[in-house]
Every structure is written in C-alpha cells, then in structure tokens.
Amino acid sequence: MKSKVILSLKKIPDLPVEAGNINPETVTGKKVEEIQAMPIWVGNQQESVGNYFRVEIADAGPEEDTENGMTSILVVKGELSRFKRLGEKMASGHMRLEGSVGFHTGAEMTGGVLTIYGDTGDFLGAHMKGGKIIVNGSAGHFTGAAYRGYTYGMTGGSILIKGSAGQMLGARLRRGLIAVGGDCGDMAGFSMKAGTIVIGGAAGVRAGAMMQRGTLLFFQRPQLLPTFYYNSAYQPLFWKLLHGSLQQDGFPMPADSRDAVFQRYSGDATEGGRGEIFVCLSRS
C-alpha cells in the first residue's frame, strides 16, 4: 500500500516563513527524522520543519492509494497563512493543504495536483507551467499572474477556485485555464496573451484590458470596455467540452449552464482585437 507524509502544525510562527522546499518530491522516501531536519526560513533565521510541524508517515487510504496513479502524497494541516511558497515548483504527486495558506502557493508548478481546503494569499499559481490547483475557498490577488517585469504569467495547467478571487486574475496569462466560481476583482485577464478564464460571479471593472488573445467567459455581465465590439450570440462548442471537464473536478457552475447561449465580443481593439469575451445571455 502507498504511504503518505503528514505534517501537522504545532505552533503558528511569529514571522512569515519561506517554505518553498515543502512539496511531495522533497519528502517522499525520507524518514521522519530527515523530514524534521529539512530547513525553512522564519524571517531571516534558518530553522527546521520539526520546530513547527509534527511529522508522521502513514498508509494512504483506499482512495488515495489509487488516486490517478499519484506516486507521492503530502498532507499539511493547520493555519498556514504565514507559510509562503508551499508547493512551489511542484512537479508530481498530490499535496493537500488543510487550512488557509500564504503567498505564492503553487508558484511555478509543472505537474501534480495541489488541493487547498481554505483560502490562499496573493500570487497563487504564479508562473504555473503544468499540473492542477483546486481551491475550496477563495484566492487573493494576482492568481496565475506574472511577477513584475515578466512578459508572461501562467503558461500551462489549471487553477480552479470554488470561492472568489482578487484583482488582476490571470494577468499576462499565456496558456492554461483559470476558473472562479464566485466573484473576481478588477482587471481580470489584463494583457492576457492566450488561455481561458471562466468567472461564475460578478466581475470588477476593466476585464480583458489590453488582452491580445485568449478567452474570458462570464456568467454575469461585466462592465465591458468600449474597445470590445459585439460579434454574435450562439452556443460555443468549446464550452460544452470545458463544462464536462469542470464537472468532473467538482467545480461549482450555474445550474443548466452546459447549453447556455453566450454573446461574443472581440477585443481589446487597442491590441489588435483578437481576444474574445463571452457573456452568458440565457441558460436552458
């Protein structure tokens, strides 16, 4: 039977913690003592994982043991909002974070599944290249976005947020999928180059500003910029396919949305007008 590593928080740190080396690959195959000795930075001081977490190695449950062929399972429990970069550069396995987490969670991921049972800080999945992030709470600002000075943000994978998200969602998105079940802040899809963003709730202003390509899909009408122009209304085939995929992941969507009719707008005209915004018109 497959085993899993469980880290249970013993105490909340007084300072922010750099924990980018905590992911399934770094703990798999290690003994409890080796995991406890792994370094983390608390403020400007190097400490060890064992100072803050109780470490266990246990048998995986029946579902975990067969879960999508995952080779490694890591569970981190506790109030983790002061822990930054958890799951950073994760390439395989399944990581479950059972509590709210800090900034840069899942940044630069290339593979595997990261499931979060709580809220997340800013820059969730920043520069993500592959894999899947599922958030059972809400996310902060700059989800899937680019760090300052970079041309591209997220270039692959998917981020599914069952709650709401903050500003600049998917800014400079190059490839991949971001779906939000609730509301999102201003400037969703800012300067996106490609990829898909789905918003189930209300959106802030200036959605799609300076987008060059890609798709924004809204179930509640946003305040569109005047640089987007109407094309037509129809049932897009890609949405029927995407709807099925989101359903499999347990993502919350408006009832009877599979056969929805959408209005299609092209823009941003200031950037060539090759992007598209879909706005739900009616659901059957």
Side-chain angles (χ1 to χ4, degrees), residues 106-119:
E108 301 183 58
M109 271 182 67
T110 60
V113 177
L114 174 58
T115 306
I116 302 163
Y117 294 92
D119 299 330

Side-chain angles (χ1 to χ4, degrees), residues 7 242 276:
L7 305 182
L242 180 56
E276 57 184 7

